[in-house]
């Protein structure tokens, strides 16, 4: 069947109804500026009145006479200009805009609108969550509150007055500092003022019945900042870790980056219904509750680590995103890539640098490399978009952070910090571009980064091909490096990147012959020569994963074994072991495809045993080194995914390792046990290794291993251990798993975040009845399609993290997902667009699965009134692509 020919009519039909495409090349400065914004809210769930008083000035560099404001789902009540009420045709109301005809150069505009927060299921703008009002305005949510120049390059000073019923909404919050408050019968009001100009996407409002956890932080200039975390009353006991993380982040930013907080108060609010992880609104961060609430009984070690990282991320945005913001949404990585790098460094400094790097690279390789290889491939600064929400991606964030990290690698810590300081000095209070950031790095370090900037404009993951030669007589060692980047949608010709390669050399006995050096590959091919090398070395390449590339070097098993045991770079120790595991899986895969017996090499399991029993190595690093590459990572290594054989081979290898090392694994499991629970680095590391051991033990399917797992579940004094055991037991077919799952539900049914874990455990179980189980769980009273966390925990986990279940040969899961999306995209287009990306790699499966996935994509594309968010993902997935992209 010719895929291109069958898809083309569907695409042509959909293009006729396609939403408009926004182009970076068409950016123009705003025709007007808003110097002051005064907002007045009369809160009511079904009829909130919003009065916006805007002071506007014409941008004389612009020729546009009319003022065009953006607005969506607003009921316009009145418009007045300099005190005079306007009537059509003095203004023109259209879908998505309000035009003020022939506006003067300077004027005051007062706009009154009515909105319905309780019916706002998209969770953009002002909406209701758990009975409380809250906002989410990034990227373009403010236009759902009032008509406005809703773009990041319009910065205004905001004063906000909120009126609401005092009994229902005793807490009224907005950005900046609290200026005044008062009473008016049953209602009360509070006025907030933000002294710093900001774009509308950073506006925030919260009103509700909330309790606060309070603390203070003394800055380096001896100012005392009030810290408040607002939550529902029953969650007050889950805020201590978030508060401690916030104080660590504030101290870190002062010490590492010389950046101090600038307001008198810093507030965080946790809400249950939130499309994103958190939002950096100036002085009033609104968080998804999963990234605030934690205690030992309800949160895993991973939860604690993520909370610290996200708390840090949003706090660091105060400078890298708020004080200096992006000119337009194409520059999104200017703030997000930089701030992800900053939160990664924060987590590495306060925790384990090696483990943090391994975790970040794992995510990059499984999610971002997949995006680079698929229909949504885009550079960290895209050239176009239909819906900006679709570009809050792992490319913009995580690859964006890698681009910042490469600049740090090239310039060194001192040079990078000089550039960062100059960037903030130059652009404080401005909306700028990625080029402005790189320019600051260039000026501060007297360096030309023109070629480096190709990382901002070129999509795709470069391949780094390395070969070598050792001349024993001359004692010279030569490395030959080449780079290549495959064609991506819209980009055929790729120019050479600047690729910083951190490398060292080891002897065949594991002695380091050359410590870490940084070389820059800036041409399509280059040669690097090292002299006075006493013996043929083993290259340790791309240490600490110094560039987001795919490394190709023909390591022998013996070389990888040396690197795994002796490399001084922790990441490359892990990397060597992962490569050995991948090679072993590929060998078994070849045997399976030839219907031969699967024999696991003894030297491979012996090496695992040796690493397992190391006594001076971080237990968390041991856990990572002995773990097999994930299913998603392995799938990404194949242009056409041999799904069934690949999953079977990985499972077989896991079982063989468990059986061969059973005694050693059980001994290490016992050794890592602790009667007391602590959230510190060594305790987390020990639990990490202990649960990896348990995973291997249960993989053997031995009854004593299952009983051991049951024992851990019953007696765990923390969620990390209880959930790890639950996830393993949920994959053991039989009545027992239902009893355990019911027990967990009975224990935690009143804690929504814990139930998200319960949903995800069942959604990722690799058992034949998982899809049926997922469908049944949708009827659970705690599940709701209106709650993004629940959708991600059940539907998202099944489609994204359960390849065996989602890619069942009969295509039943594909139909299921399309059915869900049919409903979901009308409620919440953002969440629907994230989940529909489960279909993006459809071309990389066997023909039968391709046909079944394509049918559902075409069905979605032809849905009447399809949202921009989902349309963009689906239409790009179906577009024909060059064979080199597939």
């Amino acid at each position: 069947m010719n895929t291109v020919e069958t898809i083309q009519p569907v695409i042509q039909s959909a293009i006729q109804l396609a939403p408009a495409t926004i182009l970076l090349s068409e950016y123009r400065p705003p025709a007007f500026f808003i110097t002051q914004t005064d907002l007045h809210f009369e809160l009511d769930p079904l009829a909130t009145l919003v009065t916006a008083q805007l002071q506007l000035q014409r941008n004389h560099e612009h020729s546009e006479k009319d003022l065009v404001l953006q607005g969506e789902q607003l009921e316009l009540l009145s418009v007045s200009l300099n005190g005079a009420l306007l009537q059509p045709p003095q203004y023109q109301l259209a879908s998505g805009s309000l035009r003020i005809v022939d506006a003067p150069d300077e004027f005051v505009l007062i706009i009154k609108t009515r909105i319905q927060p309780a019916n706002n299921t998209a969770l953009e703008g002002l909406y209701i969550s758990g009975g409380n009002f809250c906002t989410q305005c990034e990227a373009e949510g403010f236009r759902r509150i009032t008509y406005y120049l809703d773009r990041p390059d319009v910065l205004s000073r905001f004063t906000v007055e909120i009126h609401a019923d005092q009994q229902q909404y005793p807490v009224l919050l907005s950005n900046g500092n609290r200026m005044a408050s008062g009473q008016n019968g049953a209602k009360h009001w509070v006025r907030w003022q933000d002294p710093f100009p900001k774009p509308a996407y950073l506006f925030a409002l919260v009103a509700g019945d909330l309790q606060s956890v309070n603390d203070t932080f003394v800055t380096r200039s001896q100012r005392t900042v009030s810290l408040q975390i607002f939550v529902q009353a029953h969650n007050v006991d889950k805020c201590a870790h978030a508060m401690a993380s916030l104080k660590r982040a504030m101290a870190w930013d002062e010490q590492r980056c010389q950046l101090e907080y600038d307001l008198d108060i810093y507030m965080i609010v946790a809400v249950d219904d939130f499309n994103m992880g958190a939002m950096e609104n100036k002085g009033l961060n609104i968080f998804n509750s999963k990234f605030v609430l934690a205690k030992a009984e309800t949160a895993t070690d991973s939860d604690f680590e993520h909370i610290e990282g996200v708390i840090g991320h949003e706090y660091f945005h105060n400078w890298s995103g708020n004080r200096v913001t992006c000119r337009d949404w194409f520059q999104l990585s200017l703030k997000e890539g930089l701030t992800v790098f900053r939160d990664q460094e924060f987590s590495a400094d306060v925790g384990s640098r090696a483990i943090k790097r391994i975790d970040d690279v794992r995510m990059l390789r499984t999610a971002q490399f997949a995006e680079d290889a698929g229909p949504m491939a885009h550079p960290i600064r895209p050239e176009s978009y239909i819906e900006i929400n679709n570009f809050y991606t792992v490319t913009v964030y995580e690859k964006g952070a890698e681009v910042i990290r490469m600049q740090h690698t090239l310039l060194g810590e001192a040079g990078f910090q000089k550039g960062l300081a100059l960037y903030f000095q130059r652009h404080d209070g401005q909306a700028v571009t990625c080029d402005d950031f790189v320019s600051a790095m260039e000026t501060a370090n007297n360096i030309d980064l023109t070629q480096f900037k190709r990382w901002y404009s070129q999509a795709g993951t470069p391949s780094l091909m390395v070969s070598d030669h050792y001349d024993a007589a001359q004692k010279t060692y030569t490395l030959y490096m080449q780079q290549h980047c495959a064609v991506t949608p819209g980009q055929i010709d790729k120019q050479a990147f600047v690729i910083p390669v951190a490398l060292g050399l080891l002897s065949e006995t594991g002695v380091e012959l050359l410590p870490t050096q940084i070389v820059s590959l800036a041409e399509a091919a280059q040669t690097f020569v090292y002299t006075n090398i006493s013996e043929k070395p083993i290259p340790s390449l791309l240490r600490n994963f110094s560039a987001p590339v795919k490394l190709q070097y023909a390591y022998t098993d013996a070389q990888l074994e040396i690197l795994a045991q002796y490399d001084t770079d922790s990441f490359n120790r892990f990397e060597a072991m992962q490569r050995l595991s991948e090679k072993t899986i590929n060998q078994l895969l070849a045997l399976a495809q030839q219907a031969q017996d699967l024999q696991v090499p003894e030297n491979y399991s012996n090496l695992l045993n040796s690493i397992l029993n190391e006594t001076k190595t971080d237990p968390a690093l041991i856990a990572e080194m002995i773990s097999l590459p994930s299913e998603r990572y392995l799938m990404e290594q194949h242009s056409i995914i041999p799904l069934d054989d690949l999953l079977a081979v990985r499972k077989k290898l896991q079982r063989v390792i468990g059986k061969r090392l059973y005694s050693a694994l059980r001994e290490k499991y016992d050794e890592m046990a602790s009667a007391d629970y602590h959230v510190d680095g060594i305790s987390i590391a020990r639990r990490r290794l202990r649960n990896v051991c348990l995973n291997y033990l249960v993989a053997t399917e031995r009854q004593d291993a299952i009983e051991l797992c049951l024992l851990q579940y019953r007696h765990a004094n923390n969620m990390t251990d209880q959930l790890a055991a639950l996830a393993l037991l949920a994959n053991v077919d039989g009545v027992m798993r239902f009893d355990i799952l019911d027990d967990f539900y009975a224990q935690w049914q009143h804690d929504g975040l814990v139930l998200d874990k319960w949903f995800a455990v069942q959604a990722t179980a690799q058992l034949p009845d998982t899809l049926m189980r997922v469908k049944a769980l949708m009827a659970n009273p705690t599940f709701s399609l209106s709650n993004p966390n629940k959708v991600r925990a059940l539907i998202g986990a099944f489609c994204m993290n359960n390849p065996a279940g989602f890619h069942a040969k009969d295509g039943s899961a594909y139909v299921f997902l399309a059915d869900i999306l049919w409903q979901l995209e009308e409620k919440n287009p953002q969440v629907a667009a994230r989940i529909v990306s489960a279909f993006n790699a459809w071309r990389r499966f066997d023909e039968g699965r391709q046909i079944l996935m394509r049918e559902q994509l075409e069905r979605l594309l032809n849905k009447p009134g399809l949202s921009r968010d989902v349309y963009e993902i689906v239409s790009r997935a179906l577009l024909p692509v060059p064979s080199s992209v597939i």
Side-chain angles (χ1 to χ4, degrees):
M1 178 178 290
N2 188 312
T3 302
V4 172
E5 288 181 3
T6 57
I7 290 175
Q8 202 64 36
V10 178
I11 294 292
Q12 291 295 341
S13 174
I15 283 175
Q16 297 174 9
L17 302 173
T21 298
I22 312 299
L23 302 175
L24 171 58
S25 60
E26 294 180 353
Y27 169 81
R28 297 293 180 271
F32 292 84
F33 299 111
I34 303 175
T35 58
Q36 178 66 39
T37 299
D38 296 322
L39 299 174
H40 183 284
F41 289 85
E42 293 282 349
L43 295 181
D44 181 281
L46 293 173
T48 289
L49 298 177
V50 182
T51 301
Q53 178 173 302
L54 313 177
Q55 296 182 24
L56 293 108
Q57 290 181 353
R58 180 180 301 281
N59 179 359
H60 291 286
E61 297 179 3
H62 210 289
S63 60
E64 177 66 41
K65 292 185 177 181
D66 296 349
L67 167 67
V68 180
L69 304 173
Q70 293 80 45
E72 292 182 7
Q73 298 187 0
L74 304 173
E75 180 186 353
L76 180 63
L77 302 179
S78 67
V79 185
S80 65
L81 192 154
N82 289 338
L85 193 65
L86 300 184
Q87 300 290 345
Q90 293 171 302
Y91 73 83
Q92 298 171 1
L93 193 61
S95 176
S97 69
L98 170 65
R99 179 182 294 269
I100 307 300
V101 177
D102 200 15
D105 287 353
E106 292 190 24
F107 57 102
V108 174
L109 196 67
I110 298 177
I111 305 169
K112 295 185 178 182
T113 55
R114 183 184 289 119
I115 55 177
Q116 301 177 32
N119 296 328
N120 183 357
T121 61
L123 310 185
E124 295 181 273
L126 181 65
Y127 64 94
I128 301 289
S129 173
N132 300 313
F133 287 90
C134 64
T135 54
Q136 172 55 35
C137 294
E138 187 176 0
E140 295 177 339
F142 191 80
R143 63 190 61 185
R144 291 172 177 258
I145 294 173
T146 188
Y147 289 99
Y148 202 79
L149 289 172
D150 190 9
R151 44 189 292 170
D153 57 353
V154 174
L155 281 67
S156 180
R157 284 184 169 83
F158 279 68
T159 298
V160 179
E161 191 167 292
I162 310 167
H163 293 243
D165 182 275
Q166 185 166 19
Q167 185 173 356
Q168 283 186 282
Y169 311 108
V171 173
L172 305 177
L173 307 175
S174 192
N175 310 83
N177 298 315
R178 181 178 173 131
M179 304 303 292
S181 61
Q183 194 80 27
N184 185 12
K187 290 189 173 184
H188 69 137
W189 61 270
V190 178
R191 184 181 303 123
W192 292 84
Q193 188 175 74
D194 188 348
F196 296 96
K198 65 173 179 285
Y201 84 85
L202 291 172
F203 168 77
L205 180 153
V206 171
D209 187 3
L210 302 167
Q211 299 291 317
S212 67
V213 174
N214 305 319
D215 206 332
T216 58
F217 179 82
V218 179
T219 70
R220 60 179 181 168
S221 64
Q222 299 304 302
R223 289 189 308 106
T224 298
V225 178
S226 174
L227 308 179
Q228 293 185 294
I229 299 178
F230 290 88
V231 296
Q232 293 176 312
H234 62 276
N235 288 322
V236 167
D237 64 335
K238 299 177 184 176
C239 297
H241 178 69
M243 184 64 80
S245 298
L246 174 59
K247 295 177 74 171
R248 280 193 291 271
M250 297 177 80
W252 181 88
D253 216 18
E254 289 189 349
Q255 295 161 9
R256 178 84 183 264
C257 303
Q258 311 303 305
L259 296 172
E260 182 176 327
Y261 186 62
D262 49 13
L263 290 170
D264 299 331
I265 186 170
Y266 188 91
M267 298 171 286
I268 290 173
V269 180
V271 300
D272 290 335
D273 303 289
F274 206 67
N275 285 338
M276 302 183 182
M279 181 60 210
E280 70 268 19
N281 319 295
K282 182 72 178 178
L284 177 58
N285 290 183
I286 301 178
F287 272 64
N288 188 319
S289 56
K290 70 180 292 184
F291 294 116
V292 173
L293 307 178
K295 61 180 181 179
E297 295 83 359
T298 62
T300 64
D301 292 338
S302 178
D303 292 330
F304 279 103
E305 291 171 339
H306 282 132
I307 287 169
E308 184 163 62
V310 176
I311 291 278
H313 180 96
E314 304 309 331
Y315 174 75
F316 301 144
H317 263 313
N318 186 63
W319 280 92
S320 51
N322 296 2
R323 288 284 289 262
V324 181
T325 193
C326 48
R327 185 196 72 179
D328 53 75
W329 291 122
F330 297 100
Q331 318 295 331
L332 181 59
S333 197
L334 172 79
K335 72 183 185 75
E336 296 301 347
L338 174 57
T339 306
V340 169
F341 171 75
R342 275 154 54 70
D343 83 54
Q344 288 175 349
E345 285 297 289
F346 165 61
S347 295
D349 281 347
V350 300
S352 167
R353 179 164 289 275
I355 298 304
K356 177 59 179 168
R357 190 63 182 141
I358 288 169
D359 286 344
D360 291 339
V361 173
R362 178 185 289 113
M363 200 260 231
L364 188 79
R365 284 172 160 171
T366 54
Q368 196 283 316
F369 281 16
E371 191 164 81
D372 264 351
M376 284 296 290
H378 57 278
I380 68 170
R381 181 175 55 197
E383 298 293 324
S384 67
Y385 62 79
I386 290 175
E387 173 50 63
I388 183 54
N389 289 326
N390 288 334
F391 285 86
Y392 283 75
T393 61
V394 284
T395 296
V396 167
Y397 279 65
E398 275 67 33
K399 186 173 182 177
E402 294 301 311
V403 172
I404 299 295
R405 184 175 296 278
M406 286 188 286
Q407 292 175 69
H408 182 275
T409 299
L410 291 168
L411 302 174
E413 169 69 4
F416 182 83
Q417 291 298 341
K418 280 174 58 181
L420 194 63
L422 180 60
Y423 169 68
F424 290 128
Q425 178 187 328
R426 278 181 174 179
H427 302 297
D428 189 9
Q430 298 178 11
V432 298
T433 68
C434 296
D435 291 328
D436 292 316
F437 177 84
V438 177
S439 174
M441 292 292 159
E442 290 178 315
T443 302
N445 293 277
N446 192 27
I447 189 173
D448 184 353
L449 295 173
T450 302
Q451 182 183 347
F452 180 85
K453 288 198 294 185
R454 291 172 186 167
W455 283 104
Y456 286 88
S457 58
Q458 293 187 156
T461 306
S463 292
L464 172 64
M465 292 81 72
V466 181
S467 59
D468 57 358
H469 173 72
Y470 179 67
D471 187 327
Q474 298 296 321
K475 294 185 177 180
T476 60
Y477 177 66
T478 305
L479 282 170
Y480 307 96
M481 296 189 188
Q482 294 178 282
Q483 60 170 295
H484 172 73
C485 190
V487 171
T488 54
Q491 291 188 338
I492 296 175
D493 297 321
K494 300 294 177 71
Q495 295 178 295
F497 293 89
V498 174
I499 301 176
V501 181
L503 62 90
L505 302 177
L506 273 69
S507 73
E508 293 184 350
T509 57
V511 176
E512 190 163 65
L513 302 174
L514 183 74
T516 301
Q517 296 192 356
I518 309 294
V519 300
S520 291
L521 176 63
E523 306 295 336
Q526 281 179 253
T527 300
F528 301 91
V529 180
Y530 298 90
T531 58
N532 297 318
I533 304 300
S534 58
E535 58 182 282
K536 183 178 181 180
I538 301 170
S540 172
L541 300 167
L542 216 63
R543 282 183 162 176
N544 202 44
F545 202 67
S546 58
V549 300
K550 294 180 179 179
L551 174 64
Q552 298 176 21
Y553 176 83
Y555 281 113
T556 66
D557 288 0
Q559 287 177 317
L560 290 173
E561 288 173 11
I562 293 297
L563 292 173
Q565 293 177 92
Y566 303 112
D567 202 326
T568 56
D569 183 79
S570 295
F571 179 85
N572 271 14
R573 286 199 68 195
F574 159 79
E575 177 73 354
M577 203 63 232
Q578 290 285 286
R579 283 176 175 265
L580 273 172
S581 296
E582 185 183 350
K583 288 181 73 172
T584 302
I585 288 169
N586 287 338
Q587 291 164 8
L588 297 176
L589 183 61
L591 293 173
Q593 291 172 337
Q594 298 167 16
Q596 297 184 24
D597 290 338
L598 306 186
Q599 298 296 324
V600 178
E602 290 284 348
N603 62 330
Y604 170 72
S605 52
N606 289 341
L607 178 60
L608 285 174
N609 188 50
S610 174
I611 292 169
L612 175 65
N613 288 296
E614 290 182 10
T615 57
K616 296 182 179 180
T617 302
D618 178 2
L621 181 58
I622 293 174
E624 294 303 328
M625 291 179 68
I626 68 171
S627 295
L628 296 179
S630 69
E631 294 168 340
R632 287 182 65 186
Y633 173 81
L634 293 168
M635 290 165 64
E636 284 307 311
Q637 310 315 304
H638 296 267
S639 55
I640 299 296
I641 301 167
L643 183 69
D644 303 307
D645 286 339
L646 187 62
L647 297 181
V649 161
R650 185 184 183 280
K651 187 174 183 179
K652 168 75 174 180
L653 179 58
Q654 191 175 35
R655 183 180 297 115
V656 169
I657 293 169
K659 288 180 176 178
R660 287 186 183 174
L661 306 185
Y662 196 90
S663 295
L665 288 164
R666 178 56 200 268
E667 184 177 334
K668 185 62 67 172
Y669 174 86
D670 291 337
E671 181 187 333
M672 293 294 107
S674 175
D676 299 320
Y677 175 79
H678 300 285
V679 185
D680 56 55
I682 187 60
S683 300
I684 290 173
R686 290 171 68 89
R687 282 190 292 273
R688 198 164 186 159
L689 179 53
R690 189 169 190 253
N691 285 314
V692 167
C693 292
L694 183 63
N695 198 341
Y696 276 120
L697 294 172
V698 173
T700 66
E701 300 180 356
R702 283 176 48 163
Q703 189 59 36
D704 58 338
I706 294 171
E707 290 173 359
L708 180 67
C709 191
L710 263 171
L711 197 66
Q712 175 168 312
Y713 172 82
R714 298 289 187 196
H715 297 286
N717 63 357
N718 62 86
M719 183 54 67
T720 302
D721 288 341
Q722 187 179 31
L723 190 69
L726 180 72
L728 293 172
L729 295 168
N731 277 279
V732 177
D733 206 357
V735 175
M736 178 195 64
R737 71 174 164 120
F738 296 111
D739 292 340
I740 296 300
L741 288 166
D742 289 347
D743 176 80
F744 190 88
Y745 181 79
Q747 186 178 359
W748 297 110
Q749 60 184 303
H750 300 299
D751 191 309
L753 293 179
V754 178
L755 283 188
D756 288 345
K757 306 177 195 303
W758 180 74
F759 282 121
V761 158
Q762 295 173 85
T764 53
Q766 296 192 13
L767 294 171
D769 66 346
T770 297
L771 176 57
M772 181 178 68
R773 184 75 174 169
V774 169
K775 290 178 178 179
L777 286 168
M778 290 185 66
N780 186 284
T782 66
F783 179 82
S784 171
L785 272 181
S786 297
N787 181 273
N789 282 354
K790 291 291 183 289
V791 173
R792 286 186 285 255
L794 185 61
I795 312 300
F798 174 70
C799 298
M800 303 288 196
N801 298 322
N802 190 343
F806 181 62
H807 294 291
K809 283 188 174 181
D810 64 359
S812 55
Y814 305 150
V815 176
F816 164 74
L817 177 56
D819 287 345
I820 295 296
L821 291 168
W822 198 271
Q823 307 170 56
L824 184 60
E825 70 95 22
E826 295 177 0
K827 288 177 173 288
N828 192 323
Q830 276 193 56
V831 175
R834 297 302 170 107
I835 295 178
V836 76
S837 63
F839 286 128
N840 278 356
W842 67 276
R843 283 186 170 88
R844 294 177 51 215
F845 288 84
D846 56 85
E847 186 177 2
R849 289 182 169 102
Q850 281 190 43
I851 292 170
L852 294 170
M853 277 189 271
R854 190 186 68 226
E855 287 176 353
Q856 299 309 314
L857 284 168
E858 292 176 351
R859 175 186 163 206
L860 287 168
L861 190 64
N862 286 311
K863 181 181 185 291
L866 187 66
S867 66
R868 294 194 311 265
D869 308 62
V870 175
Y871 171 87
E872 183 168 27
I873 305 292
V874 172
S875 62
R876 289 184 63 161
L878 285 169
L879 279 172
V881 295
S883 59
S884 58
V885 178
I886 301 174

